[in-house]
Amino acid sequence: MREYQFFASEPRDEMLMGICFPAALMLPTSILGAVMWYFIPDYHPLSKSLTGFGWVAILGVIIGFLIMSLVKRYCIRKYTVQVSGKTILIDSIGGRKYQGEVRSATINQNKMKTVLEIYLGHQKLIFIARVKNNIFESSIFAGSTKEDIQEMATLYQALQEVSILK
């Protein structure tokens, strides 16, 4: 039995992060703006200085990125994959478990992400990993390392060997 571990997300997690990102940026800014406008009598949100909406927007964006980091921590999970012959057991920290016989596997790699698709009996599992290089080069959804990508590629090679044995 061989074991592989990597950090990745699934398509539903990617969708959740995609929906939460604009909401995490705009909701705190809108709420802070409404609170300021309601409670401070001399507040002018459309003034041309930074005393207007600027401070509220800056604080809202900071709060939004903090919220987004929490969402990302929830969505990117550590997966442990155990391959034993033609049977595969996939366990994640979040509680999802998959088990079945491997029919086939594909991997798609480009500059932004690596997508590993594993076809079991009646299931198709998709794992998406984005390499986090630094703040300026990476996507906001990045949470994997180069070692995770290499581990996914090694898993793919092992699954290809299993598929050929059938």
Side-chain angles (χ1 to χ4, degrees):
M1 176 170 48
R2 293 179 279 182
E3 185 172 298
Y4 305 91
Q5 293 182 352
F6 55 88
F7 284 91
S9 61
E10 294 182 28
R12 61 180 155 228
D13 299 326
E14 293 279 320
M15 184 176 62
L16 180 66
M17 286 190 290
I19 291 171
C20 284
F21 183 67
L25 287 178
M26 294 310 295
L27 281 176
T29 305
S30 300
I31 291 170
L32 286 171
V35 167
M36 294 281 289
W37 190 31
Y38 186 74
F39 286 113
I40 299 175
D42 283 341
Y43 177 68
H44 301 290
L46 299 178
S47 69
K48 295 186 188 227
S49 68
L50 204 56
T51 59
F53 194 66
W55 289 110
V56 171
I58 290 170
L59 188 58
V61 168
I62 291 170
I63 292 170
F65 274 103
L66 292 174
I67 291 171
M68 196 58 208
S69 69
L70 291 174
V71 170
K72 187 168 74 169
R73 191 176 307 149
Y74 168 76
C75 290
I76 297 174
R77 294 183 182 86
K78 181 177 183 179
Y79 290 93
T80 303
V81 180
Q82 297 174 348
V83 179
S84 177
K86 296 178 183 179
T87 306
I88 188 171
L89 174 66
I90 301 170
D91 188 20
S92 71
I93 299 296
R96 296 181 190 151
K97 292 184 180 184
Y98 306 102
Q99 183 175 4
E101 189 173 309
V102 178
R103 288 189 359 211
S104 65
T106 60
I107 192 166
N108 297 321
Q109 291 181 315
N110 61 27
K111 184 179 176 184
M112 293 295 292
K113 65 183 177 181
T114 299
V115 179
L116 175 65
E117 297 178 3
I118 301 172
Y119 298 92
L120 300 178
H122 296 289
Q123 281 183 312
K124 175 182 175 183
L125 304 174
I126 301 173
F127 301 104
I128 303 167
R130 299 173 196 271
V131 178
K132 184 174 184 175
N133 296 326
N134 59 38
I135 295 173
F136 302 109
E137 292 180 17
S138 300
S139 166
I140 187 72
F141 306 126
S144 302
T145 62
K146 290 181 182 179
E147 289 80 21
D148 293 328
I149 303 296
Q150 291 172 352
E151 192 78 8
M152 287 174 72
T154 308
L155 172 62
Y156 170 70
Q157 294 297 326
L159 293 178
Q160 286 294 53
E161 291 173 8
V162 169
S163 297
I164 290 172
L165 294 175
K166 287 186 177 181

